[in-house]
Amino acid sequence: MCGIVGYIGTGAVADILLNGLKNLEYRGYDSAGLALNDNDKISVYKAEGKLFNLTNIINNKEISKETYKGIGHIRWATHGKPTINNAHPHISNDEKLVLVHNGIIENYQELKEKLEKEGFIFHSSTDTETAVHLIDKEYKICNNLEQAVLKAVKQLKGAFAFCIMHQDEPNKIIAVRNHAPLILGLGDNGNFIASDIPAIIGVAKDVIYLDDKEIAVVEDKNLTIKDFDGIIKIKQKEPLNIEEESISKRGYEHFMLKEISEQPDIIRKLLSINMPDFNQPITFGSCDIYNLIKGIEKIEIIACGTSLHASKVAKSMIERLARIPVEVTPASEYIYKTNLTNEKTLSIGISQSGETADTITAVRQAKEAGAKILTITNRPNSNIVRYSDAIIPLHAGIEVSVAATKSYTAQVMVLSLFAISLAEIKDKITKDYALKLKEELKSLPTKMEEVLNNNTEYKNIASSYLDTKNFIYMARGINLATAYEGALKLKEISYINASGYAAGELKHGPIALLDENMPVLAILVPNTSTYSKVLSNCEEAHARHAPIIAVTSKDAELPTNIFKHIIRLPEISEVLSPILYALPMQMLAYYIASLLGREVDQPRNLAKSVTVE
Ligand code: AGP
């Protein structure tokens, strides 16, 4: 996934574009570039690596105050290594037309071969450069940028969001959206184009969300939106009422720690939105759950990464409480396997960003197979929502850090409410038990705050594992997903090789790995059918000299001699425990990675949302 920006107006264009890219760095950070129309001459500036490399280049340039239009790009490399040549913007051979791109052009090879035969010279190994030369070819025929773009986009297949400028048409930027997010920001001193909201917070007053197969001709005082057939589209602008605070660290060293700390209040917000009154049915905004599950015989949940782990928790909850069969499949597997999805299936797509290509493709396939589609996402204006019959928003606020934290517990919270609501509708749980669960949910925020207040404890424990190269996370039952999530958090920000295992599976092979250099984190929820079994697995691990961290509750009686560290949490029912038990996983990963000096918010090779399959 990449980030693109454009600006045309009377402001300091280079600073505006660089600030926009800074707020999009979570989308990718292996190279960056700007193209500025400087006194009717297009100048392109690029740098490999982090954005500050480009900022340094720009700051050392004399950019005239007459420069009032520009486009920018920050890259997560898909086609072509993160080199200067492959960095965007890409420019036409006559150096008059420049373009930045987010997405993947699927038919770029065949187009590139044709264009090369027609004499166009390529300087990069990107799919994007094909688009530049194709538009330039059309421009040389019709001598009109808008028409050239409309002709060219009809020849492209795949996902593409563009910002395009031409030196001979200095008063406009053309924006194009097709299966990759793109928004327009309207400000007092100009207009903005961006991949996502954070780029325009603090500078734009209103926002317009472009839809697929639309272009926008953006001028400093005006903008026109058309579909790919050139028909004018009337779009509503919405007030941009997101505070700059939402994309500031607010004094925390990293966004990840800030976002971890926001979780109790997000759970409070979800409770007040979806369950303001115990004695009233749980509601989900515009999603009519009664209608949604009418005639449904099976639920399937499709997701990736952390969202997949939330899906696994949901499976345990829904099957245990509502007795409805649930199948959980990684989106990248769902796309290629035989699925038994039909009109009696409720397919739930879970995606924080709503832009994950695998999940969008899988959800689209489920819809084509006749399923009802429910989307659970933190971005109600994202691509995935287009394929949904119903949506449940996470209300978690913008999540900047690449590692998902607050969106995960928000997903599990929404899914807990969903499971309880299904159980009540299907009359599978007693009113008393439903009330007990709801009371426990209400107590969660305070319990979460108690857990998060133990920063020092987590930091001290983390400092014991800075030299470890591997880690095993083990659990049984509903918290197996918590173990998977804990392992993912650790590996994606610290680069330590961590794996989640069903504790009962250890003796079937992984136990061969255990020695004094293989720490094991064990999740033990007391008063459950699996507690004593996990304890036995800890004894087995101890017998192989593995250092063990226990994550358990305050009232758990443990043989303290076999554990190197014991993290004790407030008591909670097992079925609701994943939200609380996720917190030590997040904190441990955070402190190990930050003590190791890792780029916690922007880990190597990663991006916040993977918009390519
Ligand atoms: C989680 O920390 C990772 N950032 C990653 O696994 C992420 O959960 C996954 O890419 C899915 O993203 P989505 O929820 O936006 O679809």
Side-chain angles (χ1 to χ4, degrees):
M1 174 178 78
C2 304
I4 67 176
V5 292
Y7 173 73
I8 182 164
T10 56
V13 62
D15 294 344
I16 288 170
L17 294 173
L18 288 170
N19 188 54
L21 291 178
K22 181 96 194 86
N23 292 333
L24 294 181
E25 262 192 310
Y26 65 88
R27 300 175 66 88
Y29 29 85
D30 59 34
S31 60
L34 289 190
L36 303 173
N37 185 314
D38 188 351
N39 274 325
D40 292 346
K41 169 89 182 71
I42 298 267
S43 304
V44 174
Y45 309 93
K46 301 182 184 183
E48 288 178 21
K50 289 293 177 76
L51 183 61
F52 59 71
N53 295 330
L54 176 68
T55 306
N56 292 339
I57 291 172
I58 297 287
N59 289 343
N60 293 327
K61 294 281 176 190
E62 273 306 305
I63 293 170
S64 82
K65 295 290 168 261
E66 294 308 304
T67 306
Y68 62 97
K69 182 184 78 170
I71 59 177
H73 186 272
I74 195 152
R75 188 168 184 244
W76 182 72
T78 52
H79 291 72
K81 292 189 176 64
T83 60
I84 286 283
N85 264 357
N86 290 332
H88 303 206
H90 287 286
I91 194 162
S92 58
N93 292 154
D94 64 5
E95 300 192 347
K96 287 191 170 185
L97 187 147
V98 282
L99 171 146
V100 290
H101 168 223
N102 175 35
I104 291 268
I105 297 170
E106 291 166 1
N107 61 333
Y108 82 97
Q109 283 290 15
E110 61 189 86
L111 290 169
K112 180 173 179 177
E113 282 156 24
K114 253 176 79 183
L115 289 162
E116 284 179 322
K117 286 192 184 109
E118 291 165 1
F120 288 91
I121 298 162
F122 283 71
H123 299 285
S124 78
S125 50
T126 65
D127 55 329
T128 305
E129 199 181 353
T130 300
V132 174
H133 298 312
L134 186 64
I135 296 168
D136 188 37
K137 172 187 166 188
E138 296 298 345
Y139 187 81
K140 288 185 167 44
I141 296 166
C142 66
N143 202 32
N144 176 293
L145 186 58
E146 179 186 329
Q147 290 310 314
V149 170
L150 286 172
K151 285 195 168 60
V153 292
K154 290 193 177 73
Q155 302 170 57
L156 298 175
K157 291 192 187 109
F160 45 89
F162 298 135
C163 289
I164 306 157
M165 294 198 304
H166 198 289
Q167 189 166 283
D168 296 344
E169 299 192 24
N171 63 346
K172 66 173 72 95
I173 298 174
I174 292 196
V176 178
R177 169 176 175 148
N178 192 50
H179 293 316
L182 202 61
I183 61 174
L184 306 176
L186 315 176
D188 290 333
N189 63 356
N191 289 326
F192 306 79
I193 305 159
S195 296
D196 198 1
I197 291 280
I200 60 172
I201 288 178
V203 289
K205 288 168 62 182
D206 297 298
V207 60
I208 293 175
Y209 293 92
L210 287 179
D211 283 314
D212 288 343
K213 301 198 182 320
E214 286 184 349
I215 72 163
V217 182
V218 182
E219 298 168 309
D220 62 349
K221 294 258 183 297
N222 185 32
L223 59 86
T224 311
I225 297 169
K226 300 182 176 180
D227 65 18
F228 279 8
D229 294 323
I231 311 293
I232 287 187
K233 303 290 290 292
I234 306 300
K235 311 279 287 190
Q236 283 309 312
K237 67 182 180 183
E238 300 173 22
L240 182 62
N241 48 19
I242 297 179
E243 297 309 314
E244 279 189 83
E245 178 276 338
S246 65
I247 52 168
S248 82
K249 290 180 192 169
R250 235 184 37 229
Y252 287 91
E253 189 182 352
H254 298 104
F255 279 108
M256 184 174 175
L257 194 54
K258 173 198 169 193
E259 288 156 4
I260 287 173
S261 73
E262 291 174 341
Q263 293 178 103
D265 283 343
I266 291 164
I267 298 300
R268 284 192 180 92
K269 190 197 299 183
L270 287 169
L271 285 165
S272 67
I273 292 168
N274 299 316
M275 192 178 71
D277 176 354
F278 285 0
N279 302 309
Q280 295 304 318
I282 296 169
T283 58
F284 298 94
S286 60
C287 167
D288 172 358
I289 186 169
Y290 291 86
N291 187 32
L292 195 66
I293 62 163
K294 216 174 273 172
I296 293 300
E297 291 176 359
K298 182 184 90 169
I299 293 174
E300 62 185 14
I301 310 180
I302 306 163
C304 301
T306 287
S307 297
L308 179 64
H309 300 152
S311 309
K312 292 174 186 290
V313 173
K315 171 183 169 66
S316 298
M317 289 177 168
I318 295 170
E319 290 184 341
R320 187 186 295 196
L321 298 177
R323 320 301 292 171
I324 301 173
V326 178
E327 185 179 354
V328 173
T329 310
S332 52
E333 290 298 309
Y334 185 93
I335 297 167
Y336 301 102
K337 77 179 188 60
T338 303
N339 296 300
L340 304 179
T341 309
N342 58 33
E343 64 290 342
K344 295 187 183 315
T345 307
L346 171 62
S347 297
I348 303 177
I350 302 181
S351 175
Q352 186 283 131
S353 64
E355 298 296 343
T356 300
D358 286 331
T359 309
I360 291 173
T361 302
V363 162
R364 209 163 51 208
Q365 272 180 217
K367 189 170 185 67
E368 286 157 9
K372 283 186 191 173
I373 304 297
L374 167 64
T375 303
I376 299 177
T377 182
N378 199 29
R379 309 309 300 274
N381 289 294
S382 57
N383 242 339
I384 198 170
V385 169
R386 286 168 172 67
Y387 306 98
S388 309
D389 300 306
I391 164 177
I392 301 179
L394 293 175
H395 300 293
I398 290 174
E399 187 173 67
V400 175
S401 193
V402 165
T405 50
K406 63 178 183 173
S407 63
Y408 175 69
T409 50
Q411 286 170 349
V412 178
M413 182 62 185
V414 162
L415 290 158
S416 306
L417 292 166
F418 187 77
I420 294 169
S421 182
L422 283 183
E424 288 183 307
I425 293 168
K426 297 278 185 185
D427 200 18
K428 296 293 182 186
I429 55 175
T430 64
K431 285 198 180 339
D432 288 351
Y433 184 45
L435 197 57
K436 176 181 180 300
L437 291 173
K438 291 175 182 180
E439 279 163 353
E440 274 212 276
L441 287 175
K442 280 281 190 190
S443 73
L444 257 176
T446 308
K447 290 180 178 177
M448 293 169 79
E449 280 163 347
E450 184 184 329
V451 174
L452 294 178
N453 285 340
N454 291 343
N455 287 42
T456 318
E457 177 190 16
Y458 295 112
K459 202 167 184 175
N460 292 340
I461 295 172
S463 61
S464 309
Y465 298 95
L466 302 185
D467 297 332
T468 190
K469 298 288 174 275
N470 301 286
F471 229 110
I472 282 183
Y473 286 64
M474 70 175 183
R476 289 180 186 238
I478 197 167
N479 278 300
L480 177 51
T482 311
Y484 291 142
E485 175 56 14
L488 176 62
K489 283 285 101 42
L490 182 65
K491 72 181 120 191
E492 70 173 323
I493 65 174
S494 72
Y495 317 148
I496 292 171
N497 175 30
S499 302
Y501 281 108
E505 275 297 293
L506 227 61
K507 57 187 177 294
H508 298 286
I511 202 164
L513 293 170
L514 299 193
D515 60 22
E516 61 284 358
N517 301 314
M518 175 62 85
V520 174
L521 181 144
I523 297 173
L524 302 108
V525 183
N527 313 315
T528 62
S529 58
T530 59
Y531 178 77
S532 59
K533 289 293 181 193
V534 179
L535 199 46
S536 305
N537 300 135
C538 293
E539 300 272 6
E540 290 156 11
H542 177 65
R544 276 81 181 172
H545 313 298
I548 309 173
I549 302 173
V551 180
T552 186
S553 82
K554 284 179 187 161
D555 62 346
E557 287 171 19
L558 290 175
T560 51
N561 65 311
I562 69 169
F563 295 103
K564 185 172 180 184
H565 295 104
I566 299 177
I567 298 171
R568 291 186 179 277
L569 308 182
E571 288 137 52
I572 189 163
S573 299
E574 184 186 34
V575 72
L576 299 179
S577 60
I579 296 178
L580 202 61
Y581 280 64
L583 303 181
M585 308 297 129
Q586 297 168 355
M587 296 292 273
L588 213 49
Y590 172 76
Y591 280 112
I592 289 175
S594 54
L595 289 172
L596 286 171
R598 299 288 190 248
E599 296 258 15
V600 171
D601 287 327
Q602 298 171 6
R604 67 186 181 194
N605 308 336
L606 290 178
K608 183 59 183 170
S609 170
V610 183
T611 54
V612 293
E613 284 182 26

